[in-house]
Amino acid sequence: MRLHRPNMLLPSCVLSLPLLLLQDHQDMDVALVKYRVAAAASPNCPQLWNNIGMCFFGKQRYIAAIACLKRALYLDPFEWLVAYNLGLLHLSTGQAASAFHYFSTAVNHKPEFAHRWGQLSWLSLGPGSLLWAS
């Protein structure tokens, strides 16, 4: 399963493009160290917590990833990408009901993003019916 790209930045968040490049190149440990510094400067940035959560997801530290993504969702409940990433996380851990909930939320916030529709249809048909989801 391919991780979704890290979130784009808002001007109110203290992040830089090199951090996103570190995360894109699978250098999660270095990115997490840099994100720790950014979190101290801007602790209420939902994009920052989304990116930290996806770093933990890339390292397969699922409990930390859920905590960070839920904090991002708390800070911005209408951010579709956080709901999508939570859906991916729950899907990868085998929690289909939770994944369905977060993918449904993401679809409601931004219906034009086609990947979510595919994952939502896969979940509604069940893992045994992957052929029919396409």
Side-chain angles (χ1 to χ4, degrees):
M1 178 179 298
R2 186 174 166 267
L3 295 179
H4 197 274
R5 279 189 55 95
N7 220 357
M8 289 295 112
L9 306 176
L10 288 179
S12 62
C13 296
V14 183
L15 295 175
S16 63
L17 188 60
L19 292 178
L20 295 176
L21 294 174
L22 287 172
Q23 191 173 346
D24 276 347
H25 292 292
Q26 303 298 320
D27 198 358
M28 305 296 180
D29 292 323
V30 175
L32 281 171
V33 169
K34 303 292 183 183
Y35 282 140
R36 181 178 297 161
V37 173
S42 181
N44 294 325
C45 178
Q47 290 78 18
L48 173 66
W49 289 105
N50 178 63
N51 292 346
I52 293 171
M54 293 313 287
C55 277
F56 282 126
F57 180 50
K59 293 179 62 155
Q60 297 180 351
R61 294 182 57 195
Y62 299 123
I63 295 173
I66 288 172
C68 292
L69 289 172
K70 289 219 175 173
R71 181 171 182 170
L73 197 62
Y74 171 78
L75 292 171
D76 188 359
F78 298 108
E79 180 64 52
W80 67 271
L81 189 56
V82 176
Y84 176 73
N85 287 338
L86 273 164
L88 284 178
L89 178 61
H90 286 294
L91 184 61
S92 70
T93 58
Q95 299 173 347
S98 296
F100 181 83
H101 169 75
Y102 288 111
F103 283 139
S104 296
T105 301
V107 165
N108 287 330
H109 287 307
K110 191 167 180 173
E112 62 271 7
F113 191 60
H115 293 166
R116 290 190 309 266
W117 284 108
Q119 283 149 342
L120 193 58
S121 66
W122 183 78
L123 278 171
S124 64
L125 292 172
S129 304
L130 185 59
L131 180 63
W132 296 104
S134 59

